[in-house]
């Protein structure tokens, strides 16, 4: 059995166990140098946190334990194809790879239709159910001030 298969099996087992414990059907592992450095399970309904997806919880744990916001050199193994939130988190974490078992169509069959979000992002934001509006330039405020402060900070951590 390959390492990929071994880690995917563990992610799927985490997801199954999470269902039994009252969570969603998703599990994830962060692996670096052949070692599991973090595990995550979907805790959206348990923690009342819409961002507590398995992939995000694994990324949070791995970064906290590593003491670094970058997971360069690591792989995310997840029981299901990551939703757009989790793909974005994976990119921000600078993971080298994301490997998944079930896909978005399997998730839709289970009642988790991430396809809607993938499709939504391809449309005009003006048509989205949640209004997303830029107002900084129309208000009496300096919307650039935080960025100017950031750029002036000589000891900032670059990311």
């Amino acid at each position: 059995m390959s390492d990929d298969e071994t880690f995917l099996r563990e992610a799927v087992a985490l997801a199954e166990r999470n269902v039994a414990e009252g969570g969603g059907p998703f599990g994830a592992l962060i692996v670096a140098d052949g070692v599991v450095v973090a595990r995550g399970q979907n805790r959206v309904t348990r923690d009342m946190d819409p961002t507590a997806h398995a992939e995000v919880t694994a990324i949070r744990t791995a970064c906290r334990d590593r003491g670094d916001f970058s997971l360069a050199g690591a792989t995310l193994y997840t029981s299901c194809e990551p939703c757009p939130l989790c793909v974005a988190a994976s990119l921000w974490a600078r993971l080298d790879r994301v490997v998944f078992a079930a896909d978005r169509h399997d998730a839709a069959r289970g009642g988790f239709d991430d396809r809607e979000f993938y499709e939504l992002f391809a449309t005009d934001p003006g048509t989205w159910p949640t209004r997303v509006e830029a107002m900084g330039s129309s208000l009496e405020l300096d919307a650039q001030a935080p960025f100017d402060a950031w750029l002036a900070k000589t000891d900032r951590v670059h990311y």
Side-chain angles (χ1 to χ4, degrees), residues 38-97:
R39 291 173 177 82
Q41 294 170 300
N42 182 285
R43 298 183 178 277
V44 171
T45 57
R46 271 198 308 215
D47 294 354
M48 300 302 155
D49 178 353
T51 68
H53 293 201
E55 298 89 340
V56 173
T57 61
I59 289 168
R60 288 174 180 162
T61 300
C63 288
R64 186 175 47 249
D65 290 354
R66 248 191 191 187
D68 194 345
F69 57 82
S70 174
L71 296 175
T75 298
L76 169 66
Y77 290 92
T78 182
S79 62
C80 189
E81 180 178 5
C83 72
L85 167 76
C86 296
V87 168
S90 297
L91 294 169
W92 279 110
R94 293 160 178 80
L95 287 157
D96 283 8
R97 291 174 70 209

Side-chain angles (χ1 to χ4, degrees), residues 9 47 62 122 148:
R9 284 182 183 279
D47 294 354
D148 293 340

Side-chain angles (χ1 to χ4, degrees), residues 5-150:
E5 186 175 349
T6 299
F7 294 129
L8 277 177
R9 284 182 183 279
E10 184 175 344
V12 169
L14 272 173
E16 263 190 292
R17 194 164 48 251
N18 200 46
V19 170
E21 296 168 356
F26 304 97
L29 312 170
I30 305 287
V31 176
D33 299 319
V35 176
V36 176
V37 296
R39 291 173 177 82
Q41 294 170 300
N42 182 285
R43 298 183 178 277
V44 171
T45 57
R46 271 198 308 215
D47 294 354
M48 300 302 155
D49 178 353
T51 68
H53 293 201
E55 298 89 340
V56 173
T57 61
I59 289 168
R60 288 174 180 162
T61 300
C63 288
R64 186 175 47 249
D65 290 354
R66 248 191 191 187
D68 194 345
F69 57 82
S70 174
L71 296 175
T75 298
L76 169 66
Y77 290 92
T78 182
S79 62
C80 189
E81 180 178 5
C83 72
L85 167 76
C86 296
V87 168
S90 297
L91 294 169
W92 279 110
R94 293 160 178 80
L95 287 157
D96 283 8
R97 291 174 70 209
V98 175
V99 181
F100 61 88
D103 66 19
R104 65 183 76 174
H105 308 290
D106 298 316
R109 187 183 66 75
F112 299 87
D113 200 352
D114 298 346
R115 294 177 300 190
E116 290 182 22
F117 290 108
Y118 281 105
E119 292 166 5
L120 178 70
F121 291 132
T123 66
D124 176 3
T127 66
W128 293 1
T130 300
R131 289 175 47 185
V132 178
E133 303 173 80
M135 292 186 67
S137 62
S138 66
L139 302 175
E140 298 276 331
L141 63 84
D142 183 2
Q144 294 302 312
F147 297 106
D148 293 340
W150 172 256

